[in-house]
Amino acid sequence: MKLVVAVVQDQDSNRLSNALTKNDFRATKLASTGGFLRSGNTTFLIGVEDELIPKLLDLIRENCRSREQMVAPVSPMGGNADSYIPYPVEVEVGGATIFVLPIEQFHHF
């Protein structure tokens, strides 16, 4: 058994959640915030049997695509102003960051 931790952009969250439910994967959703852009993310915790990992990764890949987006930089509150860029920049957002962790024990009470 594995624990899959998938951090996805809020914009992809509902689509992924619906796909997981439709394909009989159970998940816990947690609100999270990205450190770089300080934008909203959703972190999914998904317990899954080893043989279903490829199917789960395909579902995440299909529903969480990266894209380019213009973002206004966050001001350097107390930081070094030399590296601050005062105009919007285009960055890649979306997609998913996935961690697959081994589970030694699982209990359901």
Side-chain angles (χ1 to χ4, degrees):
M1 176 163 254
K2 303 284 190 229
L3 173 64
V4 175
V5 179
V7 181
V8 304
Q9 189 180 34
D10 279 345
Q11 192 172 350
D12 298 324
S13 175
N14 285 337
R15 184 173 44 252
L16 178 59
S17 183
N18 291 336
L20 291 173
T21 301
K22 181 178 179 183
N23 288 276
D24 294 323
F25 287 102
R26 308 286 190 272
T28 298
K29 289 172 53 173
L30 304 172
S32 53
T33 303
F36 176 64
L37 298 176
R38 292 182 173 84
S39 61
N41 294 322
T42 300
T43 300
F44 288 86
L45 304 177
I46 309 160
V48 64
E49 296 296 332
D50 291 11
E51 62 271 8
L52 294 175
I53 293 290
K55 180 179 178 180
L56 175 59
L57 293 177
D58 286 343
L59 274 176
I60 295 170
R61 186 178 299 110
E62 291 167 9
N63 290 281
C64 301
R65 292 290 182 190
S66 60
R67 55 200 157 272
E68 299 293 319
Q69 178 177 320
M70 295 297 284
V71 296
V74 178
S75 63
M77 299 290 286
N80 184 353
D82 294 339
S83 63
Y84 176 66
I85 303 169
Y87 48 86
V89 293
E90 189 172 52
V91 296
E92 186 175 314
V93 298
T97 301
I98 302 167
F99 303 91
V100 180
L101 309 168
I103 301 299
E104 288 186 27
Q105 294 185 10
F106 168 74
H107 302 279
H108 183 80
F109 299 111

